[in-house]
Amino acid sequence: MTTPPPAPPPAGLRERKKQATRTALREAALRLAVERGPDQVRVEDIAEAAGVSPRTYNNYFASREQAIVSAVTSDREVRIASAVAARPAGVRLADAVTEAVVEQYTTTGELEPRALLLITARTALREAFLDTTAGIEAPLTAVIAERLGDTGVHTARVLAASVAVAVRIALEGWLRPTGTAGTAEAAEAAESAGTLGTGGLVVPTGALPDQLRAALAPLAPAFDAAERGARP
């Protein structure tokens, strides 16, 4: 008699296992990059350190840069949406979004400044870091749509997409300033001067919170108009 295959684990358990694998991969990627330098880290090295196969690695990340950056961003797009949802209903939507973005992009927690310096000093990692801003759109759309009601679904998507673009523009200005020394030199200077800290992510080119607020400011009238239109 043929033995039936084992039943698949419950959906909740599967998701927890997937999240644990993703976490193990990105932590291994960052650790190896810091220890050896990103150019000396292969996908096979990351997979081995995380206890999975390279094939499994490829199910989660498309490149080593993506995995390294993921360890730094750590589901930031979901945390931004959650922070907006947690703001009281009376808080202006434009302010709620701006403060959530600034808060999540300027709080490093236990992350060492060296990890951020690693990213800012290398072109491929900077590009991967910038690409993560696209992930803001989907979760933020859902939160904004809930705030605006059923009639604001399309508007919510437009606003969320605009926020993602604005954040990318701010980060580009922070990482690739014009008329200054190259980013690698700036990062090294920041490390020497101790100006890249957990409270403000400040490099010689300026404070990231200020650049984020400046990039998001032009969107405030659109948020205000959407809120007015959503009122009964």
Short mmCIF file of all heavy atoms in Angstrom, two decimals, residues 165-220:
data_model
loop_
_atom_site.label_atom_id
_atom_site.label_comp_id
_atom_site.label_asym_id
_atom_site.label_seq_id
_atom_site.Cartn_x
_atom_site.Cartn_y
_atom_site.Cartn_z
N VAL A 165 7.89 57.78 -4.89
CA VAL A 165 8.79 58.54 -5.77
C VAL A 165 9.48 59.66 -5.00
O VAL A 165 10.69 59.89 -5.15
CB VAL A 165 8.02 59.12 -6.97
CG1 VAL A 165 8.91 60.06 -7.79
CG2 VAL A 165 7.51 57.99 -7.87
N ALA A 166 8.73 60.35 -4.16
CA ALA A 166 9.31 61.44 -3.37
C ALA A 166 10.39 60.93 -2.44
O ALA A 166 11.44 61.57 -2.27
CB ALA A 166 8.21 62.14 -2.57
N VAL A 167 10.16 59.78 -1.83
CA VAL A 167 11.17 59.20 -0.93
C VAL A 167 12.42 58.84 -1.72
O VAL A 167 13.54 59.10 -1.27
CB VAL A 167 10.61 57.97 -0.20
CG1 VAL A 167 11.71 57.24 0.55
CG2 VAL A 167 9.50 58.39 0.76
N ARG A 168 12.24 58.27 -2.90
CA ARG A 168 13.41 57.93 -3.72
C ARG A 168 14.20 59.18 -4.08
O ARG A 168 15.44 59.19 -4.04
CB ARG A 168 12.98 57.19 -4.98
CG ARG A 168 14.19 56.75 -5.82
CD ARG A 168 13.81 56.03 -7.09
NE ARG A 168 15.03 55.69 -7.81
CZ ARG A 168 15.56 54.48 -7.88
NH1 ARG A 168 14.98 53.46 -7.27
NH2 ARG A 168 16.68 54.27 -8.56
N ILE A 169 13.51 60.26 -4.44
CA ILE A 169 14.17 61.51 -4.79
C ILE A 169 14.97 62.03 -3.60
O ILE A 169 16.12 62.49 -3.74
CB ILE A 169 13.14 62.55 -5.27
CG1 ILE A 169 12.59 62.15 -6.64
CG2 ILE A 169 13.76 63.95 -5.32
CD1 ILE A 169 11.43 62.98 -7.11
N ALA A 170 14.38 61.97 -2.40
CA ALA A 170 15.09 62.42 -1.20
C ALA A 170 16.33 61.59 -0.95
O ALA A 170 17.40 62.11 -0.63
CB ALA A 170 14.15 62.36 0.01
N LEU A 171 16.20 60.28 -1.11
CA LEU A 171 17.34 59.39 -0.88
C LEU A 171 18.42 59.60 -1.93
O LEU A 171 19.61 59.52 -1.62
CB LEU A 171 16.88 57.93 -0.89
CG LEU A 171 15.98 57.51 0.27
CD1 LEU A 171 15.54 56.06 0.10
CD2 LEU A 171 16.68 57.70 1.60
N GLU A 172 18.01 59.85 -3.16
CA GLU A 172 19.00 60.13 -4.20
C GLU A 172 19.79 61.39 -3.87
O GLU A 172 21.01 61.44 -4.07
CB GLU A 172 18.32 60.28 -5.56
CG GLU A 172 17.85 58.96 -6.15
CD GLU A 172 17.09 59.15 -7.46
OE1 GLU A 172 16.69 60.30 -7.75
OE2 GLU A 172 16.90 58.16 -8.18
N GLY A 173 19.10 62.40 -3.37
CA GLY A 173 19.79 63.62 -2.98
C GLY A 173 20.73 63.40 -1.81
O GLY A 173 21.79 64.03 -1.72
N TRP A 174 20.36 62.51 -0.93
CA TRP A 174 21.18 62.19 0.25
C TRP A 174 22.39 61.35 -0.13
O TRP A 174 23.49 61.56 0.38
CB TRP A 174 20.31 61.45 1.26
CG TRP A 174 20.99 61.10 2.54
CD1 TRP A 174 21.56 61.94 3.44
CD2 TRP A 174 21.12 59.78 3.08
NE1 TRP A 174 22.05 61.23 4.52
CE2 TRP A 174 21.79 59.91 4.32
CE3 TRP A 174 20.72 58.51 2.66
CZ2 TRP A 174 22.08 58.81 5.14
CZ3 TRP A 174 21.01 57.43 3.46
CH2 TRP A 174 21.68 57.58 4.69
N LEU A 175 22.18 60.40 -1.03
CA LEU A 175 23.25 59.47 -1.39
C LEU A 175 24.12 59.95 -2.54
O LEU A 175 25.29 59.60 -2.61
CB LEU A 175 22.64 58.11 -1.79
CG LEU A 175 21.92 57.34 -0.70
CD1 LEU A 175 21.21 56.14 -1.29
CD2 LEU A 175 22.89 56.91 0.38
N ARG A 176 23.52 60.75 -3.46
CA ARG A 176 24.28 61.17 -4.63
C ARG A 176 24.19 62.68 -4.79
O ARG A 176 23.61 63.19 -5.75
CB ARG A 176 23.74 60.48 -5.88
CG ARG A 176 23.96 58.99 -5.89
CD ARG A 176 23.85 58.45 -7.29
NE ARG A 176 22.50 58.59 -7.83
CZ ARG A 176 21.64 57.58 -7.94
NH1 ARG A 176 21.98 56.39 -7.56
NH2 ARG A 176 20.45 57.78 -8.44
N PRO A 177 24.75 63.43 -3.85
CA PRO A 177 24.67 64.89 -3.92
C PRO A 177 25.49 65.42 -5.09
O PRO A 177 26.45 64.81 -5.51
CB PRO A 177 25.28 65.34 -2.59
CG PRO A 177 26.22 64.23 -2.24
CD PRO A 177 25.54 62.97 -2.71
N THR A 178 25.08 66.57 -5.59
CA THR A 178 25.84 67.21 -6.67
C THR A 178 26.77 68.24 -6.07
O THR A 178 26.48 68.87 -5.06
CB THR A 178 24.89 67.92 -7.66
OG1 THR A 178 24.10 68.87 -6.93
CG2 THR A 178 23.98 66.91 -8.33
N GLY A 179 27.92 68.39 -6.73
CA GLY A 179 28.86 69.42 -6.29
C GLY A 179 29.58 69.10 -5.01
O GLY A 179 30.09 69.99 -4.34
N THR A 180 29.63 67.79 -4.63
CA THR A 180 30.35 67.40 -3.43
C THR A 180 31.26 66.24 -3.77
O THR A 180 31.23 65.70 -4.86
CB THR A 180 29.39 66.96 -2.30
OG1 THR A 180 28.70 65.78 -2.72
CG2 THR A 180 28.41 68.05 -1.97
N ALA A 181 32.03 65.82 -2.79
CA ALA A 181 32.89 64.67 -3.00
C ALA A 181 32.03 63.43 -3.23
O ALA A 181 30.85 63.39 -2.87
CB ALA A 181 33.78 64.45 -1.78
N GLY A 182 32.62 62.39 -3.82
CA GLY A 182 31.90 61.16 -4.08
C GLY A 182 31.36 60.56 -2.81
O GLY A 182 31.84 60.80 -1.72
N THR A 183 30.35 59.74 -2.97
CA THR A 183 29.67 59.17 -1.81
C THR A 183 30.61 58.34 -0.95
O THR A 183 30.50 58.35 0.27
CB THR A 183 28.48 58.31 -2.27
OG1 THR A 183 27.61 59.12 -3.05
CG2 THR A 183 27.72 57.76 -1.08
N ALA A 184 31.50 57.59 -1.58
CA ALA A 184 32.42 56.77 -0.80
C ALA A 184 33.28 57.63 0.11
O ALA A 184 33.45 57.33 1.30
CB ALA A 184 33.32 55.96 -1.75
N GLU A 185 33.80 58.73 -0.43
CA GLU A 185 34.61 59.63 0.38
C GLU A 185 33.77 60.27 1.48
O GLU A 185 34.21 60.44 2.62
CB GLU A 185 35.23 60.73 -0.50
CG GLU A 185 36.32 60.24 -1.44
CD GLU A 185 35.76 59.61 -2.69
OE1 GLU A 185 34.52 59.52 -2.82
OE2 GLU A 185 36.56 59.19 -3.55
N ALA A 186 32.53 60.63 1.13
CA ALA A 186 31.65 61.24 2.12
C ALA A 186 31.34 60.26 3.25
O ALA A 186 31.31 60.62 4.42
CB ALA A 186 30.34 61.69 1.46
N ALA A 187 31.12 58.99 2.88
CA ALA A 187 30.83 57.99 3.90
C ALA A 187 32.01 57.78 4.82
O ALA A 187 31.87 57.66 6.03
CB ALA A 187 30.44 56.67 3.23
N GLU A 188 33.22 57.74 4.24
CA GLU A 188 34.41 57.56 5.05
C GLU A 188 34.60 58.75 5.99
O GLU A 188 34.97 58.59 7.15
CB GLU A 188 35.63 57.41 4.14
CG GLU A 188 35.64 56.09 3.38
CD GLU A 188 36.78 56.02 2.37
OE1 GLU A 188 37.55 56.99 2.28
OE2 GLU A 188 36.87 54.99 1.68
N ALA A 189 34.33 59.96 5.47
CA ALA A 189 34.45 61.14 6.31
C ALA A 189 33.44 61.11 7.44
O ALA A 189 33.73 61.49 8.57
CB ALA A 189 34.25 62.41 5.46
N ALA A 190 32.23 60.63 7.13
CA ALA A 190 31.19 60.55 8.16
C ALA A 190 31.59 59.58 9.25
O ALA A 190 31.36 59.81 10.43
CB ALA A 190 29.86 60.12 7.54
N GLU A 191 32.17 58.44 8.84
CA GLU A 191 32.57 57.44 9.83
C GLU A 191 33.66 58.00 10.72
O GLU A 191 33.66 57.82 11.94
CB GLU A 191 33.07 56.19 9.12
CG GLU A 191 33.38 55.05 10.07
CD GLU A 191 33.71 53.77 9.34
OE1 GLU A 191 34.19 53.85 8.19
OE2 GLU A 191 33.48 52.69 9.91
N SER A 192 34.61 58.73 10.12
CA SER A 192 35.71 59.29 10.90
C SER A 192 35.21 60.36 11.86
O SER A 192 35.66 60.47 12.99
CB SER A 192 36.76 59.90 9.96
OG SER A 192 37.30 58.90 9.12
N ALA A 193 34.25 61.15 11.37
CA ALA A 193 33.74 62.26 12.19
C ALA A 193 32.66 61.83 13.16
O ALA A 193 32.25 62.59 14.03
CB ALA A 193 33.20 63.37 11.27
N GLY A 194 32.14 60.61 12.95
CA GLY A 194 31.07 60.14 13.83
C GLY A 194 29.77 60.84 13.59
O GLY A 194 28.93 60.97 14.47
N THR A 195 29.52 61.32 12.36
CA THR A 195 28.31 62.08 12.07
C THR A 195 27.18 61.23 11.55
O THR A 195 26.10 61.74 11.29
CB THR A 195 28.60 63.19 11.05
OG1 THR A 195 29.22 62.61 9.90
CG2 THR A 195 29.48 64.25 11.65
N LEU A 196 27.40 59.93 11.38
CA LEU A 196 26.31 59.06 10.98
C LEU A 196 25.81 58.34 12.21
O LEU A 196 26.38 57.34 12.63
CB LEU A 196 26.78 58.05 9.93
CG LEU A 196 25.72 57.08 9.40
CD1 LEU A 196 24.55 57.85 8.84
CD2 LEU A 196 26.30 56.15 8.37
N GLY A 197 24.75 58.85 12.82
CA GLY A 197 24.31 58.30 14.09
C GLY A 197 22.92 57.72 14.00
O GLY A 197 22.19 57.95 13.04
N THR A 198 22.52 57.00 15.03
CA THR A 198 21.21 56.36 15.01
C THR A 198 20.07 57.36 15.13
O THR A 198 18.95 57.05 14.80
CB THR A 198 21.10 55.36 16.17
OG1 THR A 198 21.36 56.05 17.40
CG2 THR A 198 22.11 54.24 16.02
N GLY A 199 20.35 58.57 15.55
CA GLY A 199 19.26 59.52 15.73
C GLY A 199 18.89 60.29 14.49
O GLY A 199 17.76 60.71 14.34
N GLY A 200 19.83 60.50 13.55
CA GLY A 200 19.47 61.35 12.43
C GLY A 200 20.03 60.95 11.11
O GLY A 200 19.69 61.55 10.10
N LEU A 201 20.84 59.92 11.02
CA LEU A 201 21.42 59.49 9.76
C LEU A 201 22.02 60.67 9.01
O LEU A 201 21.68 60.95 7.88
CB LEU A 201 20.36 58.81 8.89
CG LEU A 201 19.73 57.54 9.45
CD1 LEU A 201 18.83 56.91 8.41
CD2 LEU A 201 20.77 56.53 9.88
N VAL A 202 22.90 61.39 9.65
CA VAL A 202 23.48 62.59 9.06
C VAL A 202 24.83 62.26 8.43
O VAL A 202 25.68 61.64 9.05
CB VAL A 202 23.66 63.69 10.13
CG1 VAL A 202 24.30 64.92 9.51
CG2 VAL A 202 22.33 64.04 10.75
N VAL A 203 24.99 62.68 7.19
CA VAL A 203 26.26 62.57 6.50
C VAL A 203 26.68 63.98 6.12
O VAL A 203 25.91 64.92 6.25
CB VAL A 203 26.14 61.67 5.24
CG1 VAL A 203 25.79 60.26 5.63
CG2 VAL A 203 25.11 62.22 4.28
N PRO A 204 27.89 64.18 5.62
CA PRO A 204 28.32 65.53 5.29
C PRO A 204 27.43 66.26 4.30
O PRO A 204 27.52 67.46 4.13
CB PRO A 204 29.72 65.30 4.72
CG PRO A 204 30.20 64.07 5.41
CD PRO A 204 28.99 63.20 5.53
N THR A 205 26.56 65.53 3.59
CA THR A 205 25.70 66.16 2.59
C THR A 205 24.40 66.68 3.18
O THR A 205 23.58 67.25 2.46
CB THR A 205 25.38 65.15 1.48
OG1 THR A 205 24.73 64.02 2.07
CG2 THR A 205 26.63 64.70 0.78
N GLY A 206 24.14 66.46 4.45
CA GLY A 206 22.92 66.99 5.05
C GLY A 206 22.14 65.93 5.78
O GLY A 206 22.45 64.75 5.73
N ALA A 207 21.09 66.36 6.49
CA ALA A 207 20.28 65.46 7.29
C ALA A 207 19.19 64.83 6.43
O ALA A 207 18.46 65.51 5.72
CB ALA A 207 19.65 66.22 8.45
N LEU A 208 19.07 63.53 6.52
CA LEU A 208 18.05 62.82 5.77
C LEU A 208 16.63 63.25 6.15
O LEU A 208 15.79 63.42 5.26
CB LEU A 208 18.22 61.31 5.94
CG LEU A 208 17.22 60.41 5.23
CD1 LEU A 208 17.18 60.70 3.73
CD2 LEU A 208 17.53 58.95 5.49
N PRO A 209 16.29 63.44 7.43
CA PRO A 209 14.93 63.88 7.76
C PRO A 209 14.52 65.15 7.03
O PRO A 209 13.39 65.27 6.54
CB PRO A 209 14.99 64.10 9.28
CG PRO A 209 16.06 63.19 9.73
CD PRO A 209 17.09 63.19 8.65
N ASP A 210 15.42 66.11 6.94
CA ASP A 210 15.11 67.37 6.25
C ASP A 210 14.83 67.12 4.77
O ASP A 210 13.92 67.72 4.19
CB ASP A 210 16.26 68.36 6.40
CG ASP A 210 16.44 68.82 7.83
OD1 ASP A 210 15.48 68.66 8.63
OD2 ASP A 210 17.53 69.34 8.16
N GLN A 211 15.63 66.25 4.16
CA GLN A 211 15.45 65.98 2.73
C GLN A 211 14.14 65.23 2.48
O GLN A 211 13.46 65.47 1.47
CB GLN A 211 16.65 65.19 2.20
CG GLN A 211 17.95 65.99 2.29
CD GLN A 211 18.99 65.52 1.29
OE1 GLN A 211 18.68 65.13 0.18
NE2 GLN A 211 20.24 65.58 1.71
N LEU A 212 13.77 64.33 3.38
CA LEU A 212 12.51 63.61 3.23
C LEU A 212 11.32 64.57 3.35
O LEU A 212 10.38 64.52 2.55
CB LEU A 212 12.41 62.52 4.29
CG LEU A 212 13.29 61.28 4.09
CD1 LEU A 212 13.33 60.43 5.35
CD2 LEU A 212 12.80 60.45 2.90
N ARG A 213 11.37 65.43 4.35
CA ARG A 213 10.26 66.38 4.53
C ARG A 213 10.14 67.32 3.33
O ARG A 213 9.03 67.65 2.89
CB ARG A 213 10.45 67.17 5.82
CG ARG A 213 10.21 66.34 7.08
CD ARG A 213 10.12 67.23 8.32
NE ARG A 213 9.75 66.43 9.50
CZ ARG A 213 10.61 65.92 10.35
NH1 ARG A 213 11.91 66.13 10.18
NH2 ARG A 213 10.21 65.21 11.38
N ALA A 214 11.27 67.76 2.81
CA ALA A 214 11.25 68.67 1.66
C ALA A 214 10.68 67.98 0.43
O ALA A 214 9.92 68.59 -0.35
CB ALA A 214 12.66 69.17 1.37
N ALA A 215 11.01 66.72 0.25
CA ALA A 215 10.51 65.99 -0.93
C ALA A 215 9.02 65.69 -0.82
O ALA A 215 8.30 65.66 -1.83
CB ALA A 215 11.29 64.68 -1.09
N LEU A 216 8.53 65.47 0.40
CA LEU A 216 7.12 65.14 0.60
C LEU A 216 6.22 66.36 0.68
O LEU A 216 5.00 66.26 0.47
CB LEU A 216 6.97 64.30 1.87
CG LEU A 216 7.55 62.88 1.80
CD1 LEU A 216 7.62 62.27 3.20
CD2 LEU A 216 6.71 62.00 0.88
N ALA A 217 6.79 67.51 0.98
CA ALA A 217 5.99 68.72 1.17
C ALA A 217 5.07 69.06 -0.02
O ALA A 217 3.91 69.45 0.19
CB ALA A 217 6.90 69.90 1.49
N PRO A 218 5.52 68.94 -1.27
CA PRO A 218 4.64 69.27 -2.39
C PRO A 218 3.40 68.38 -2.50
O PRO A 218 2.45 68.74 -3.20
CB PRO A 218 5.55 69.09 -3.62
CG PRO A 218 6.93 69.25 -3.10
CD PRO A 218 6.90 68.66 -1.73
N LEU A 219 3.41 67.25 -1.82
CA LEU A 219 2.26 66.35 -1.89
C LEU A 219 1.16 66.73 -0.90
O LEU A 219 0.04 66.23 -1.00
CB LEU A 219 2.70 64.91 -1.61
CG LEU A 219 3.78 64.32 -2.53
CD1 LEU A 219 4.07 62.88 -2.12
CD2 LEU A 219 3.34 64.38 -3.99
N ALA A 220 1.48 67.60 0.04
CA ALA A 220 0.51 67.94 1.09
C ALA A 220 -0.82 68.47 0.54
O ALA A 220 -1.89 68.05 1.01
CB ALA A 220 1.13 68.94 2.06
#
